Amino acid sequence: VYHFAPVSRTGLRAMGDFRLLENLAHAAGRTMPSELLSAGGAAYANLYRSRRSLDRAFEETRFRYRKLASRMVAAGDANNPGFLGLLAAERQRTRADARYAITGIPDVPTITPLVGFAHEVLRFRNPDGTTEVWILGSTRSGDLTARGVEGGVRYGVEATLAMMTPQGYQRKIVRNEPTVADPLAADDAVPVRISWTLEPGRYPYSLAVRDQEFGRGGIGNWAQDTLVIADPVPGLPEISDIAVAADSGGTWTRDGETWLRVLPNHVVGQDGSLFTYFEVYGLPAGQEYDVEIRVVAGEAETPLFEAAAPDLTFALNFRAETPARRGLPGRHSLRLDLDSTPPGAYLLAVRVTNRDTGRHSLPRVTPIAR
């Protein structure tokens, strides 16, 4: 058992500096059993005792050593490592596992988390088998430095995406510096967007945002997660992630025709308008399929496509067909009118069904806010 602790080697708290420790008392430089028992009072003492007497791995190691020692004694083997030697080998293996785990997590820049920040990942499959990934970030403008410039007010956001890939540790940096005539409201969003094309696999990543204006270096926020791109299931329809925008006419596009202002907060427009975009894969060219869209309030207590009609806030069903050109997905850009729904949190779900085989896709679900 190892502990991630936000402490320095002198025992002082260091913001953003988490160290891997075999015992929390080691942060203060104490390593002897007598010191561990007394360091920091009961907390360290109880921790040490639990590791010494109750740790299952420790007891399993001791049990294995007893069996090994009895066999070695019976065989007259003089190379008996002793229990402590066997335990040292176990610790070496544990440390190797810990190093492997840590090297799989991209580094996070030193940042003081003072900027409200949300992000989402949108995945869309390409005909060549790769996946185009959009990482969308949204920072709270009230937490950013507004600088007066010619023509209005400028905000600046820098986003750094660090990712572990089969080729090793990689980074991408983008900046967005919009200039507006009047200062933004405190809860307005300043977006950033990073794109990446990836093969199927697991990709641990860190996404960090900074206030780009001078004099605020190190002010921002960050998030860590693992991006999973799964292989498609043969014969099963599949839906991409669902892009959500409050209005059209933005800078985000997949097909070169539909342009949306996609943000990860998924807030419906003031008039109740909700623009969505998603793609359908895994169907032959020219194949007909049914599209089902459902919206329910709050958290769904039953599966969304088993819910009774009175439980639905919104429902839409229509028939579609994949393009005649092989390999192209079915593309859907829809404006949903939710002006009669009361304020609150909702879930939007999409499912498609192959009309020839009757096979359903797994539902794709995303939150929205009215």
Side-chain angles (χ1 to χ4, degrees), residues 199-222:
E199 303 281 348
R202 296 176 62 87
Y203 299 89
Y205 69 88
S206 297
L207 179 63
V209 298
R210 297 179 187 269
D211 185 341
Q212 185 62 16
E213 290 301 314
F214 302 109
R216 296 287 300 276
I219 302 299
N221 215 326
W222 61 274

Side-chain angles (χ1 to χ4, degrees), residues 40-123:
Y44 283 150
N46 291 339
L47 178 63
Y48 179 77
R49 290 193 183 99
S50 69
R51 296 285 292 280
R52 182 177 58 177
S53 60
L54 302 180
D55 190 296
R56 174 181 290 182
F58 188 97
E59 290 301 309
E60 289 179 351
T61 300
R62 186 172 63 162
F63 178 74
R64 287 200 306 271
Y65 167 70
R66 285 176 174 173
K67 294 181 65 176
L68 174 64
S70 62
R71 288 197 301 267
M72 296 180 77
V73 170
D77 192 338
N79 295 319
N80 190 332
F83 173 63
L84 292 179
L86 191 63
L87 184 60
E90 289 284 340
R91 284 180 167 169
Q92 284 296 109
R93 282 190 286 271
T94 302
R95 290 191 178 102
D97 291 340
R99 284 194 297 271
Y100 176 80
I102 291 175
T103 56
I105 301 175
D107 292 335
V108 176
T110 301
I111 285 180
T112 305
L114 296 178
V115 175
F117 169 58
H119 86 288
E120 72 170 339
V121 176
L122 299 178
R123 296 159 294 186

